[in-house]
Amino acid sequence: MSEQMSRQRKKAAVIMGSDSDLPVVSRAIERLKSFGIPVEAHVMSAHRTPEAAARFAAAAMDNGFGVIIAAAGKAAHLAGVLAAHTVLPVIGIPVKSSTMDGLDSLLSTVQMPSGIPVATVAVDGAENAAILAAQMLALSDETLRGALLKMKKDMADGVMEKDRLLQDTLGRT
């Protein structure tokens, strides 16, 4: 990708409630980078640093972000706090914790009040969060849209190849 394209592309923010969420969100960071999307990652807490989270979200658009991904476990209010302070799309990743196998995180992330939307992916669904973020950014970025179309085609081709191998194994060619 050209240097000019990289400078024009909106950034993605990946905000985690704790550094212990890094093993989960690293999959989102890697996927975003594979699309050439500039990424910034930060640790912020909805409960321990709510003012910092609010300031970050309120300034995110002016700071060149086009989407925010928020990962949190247990009482996972981070995505909602960020969404309350921005008009950018916010994608929540409920992180599996030792409590309730991640159901608590899922419900905390997905149950937002009217007017504060948060797109929510599966528990520990960081890669899908990154792909969804890329799809959002691709609405105004043809190069990114092309990369997503290629990814989808490659996935379909991979499935067809697996079927072909299965048919060969079963002797049904």
Side-chain angles (χ1 to χ4, degrees):
M1 173 181 22
S2 73
E3 179 68 27
Q4 182 181 11
M5 175 57 78
S6 180
R7 277 184 276 138
Q8 292 176 338
R9 184 165 285 162
K10 296 284 185 183
K11 298 184 289 185
V14 177
I15 310 299
M16 60 198 99
S18 168
D19 62 346
S20 65
D21 300 329
L22 184 58
V24 171
V25 301
S26 64
R27 295 189 304 270
I29 293 167
E30 290 168 16
R31 176 58 85 166
L32 289 163
K33 287 181 177 180
S34 78
F35 287 124
I37 298 170
V39 182
E40 281 188 27
H42 298 279
V43 176
M44 293 179 195
S45 170
H47 304 106
R48 294 181 184 97
T49 61
E51 295 87 5
R55 277 192 310 272
F56 180 87
M61 187 178 292
D62 289 340
N63 288 329
F65 292 96
V67 63
I68 298 172
I69 296 172
K74 296 189 179 186
H77 299 127
L78 182 59
V81 167
L82 296 168
H85 291 91
T86 187
V87 296
L88 291 176
V90 175
I91 302 166
I93 304 171
V95 176
K96 183 178 179 179
S97 63
S98 59
T99 309
M100 299 179 69
D101 226 20
L103 181 60
D104 51 341
S105 305
L106 176 63
L107 294 175
S108 295
T109 304
V110 78
Q111 295 291 344
M112 290 295 108
S114 182
I116 311 297
V118 170
T120 306
V121 296
V123 173
D124 290 350
E127 189 166 358
N128 270 352
I131 293 167
L132 181 56
Q135 289 175 327
M136 291 171 175
L137 295 174
L139 292 171
S140 60
D141 185 329
E142 283 187 43
T143 303
L144 187 52
R145 189 166 37 253
L148 286 160
L149 288 168
K150 181 181 180 327
M151 179 199 73
K152 298 257 183 176
K153 182 181 181 322
D154 290 347
M155 285 191 311
D157 290 348
V159 170
M160 296 307 295
E161 177 62 14
K162 289 176 184 179
D163 183 62
R164 186 191 65 74
L165 292 170
L166 174 65
Q167 298 311 312
D168 286 351
T169 301
L170 298 175
R172 296 183 189 167
T173 48

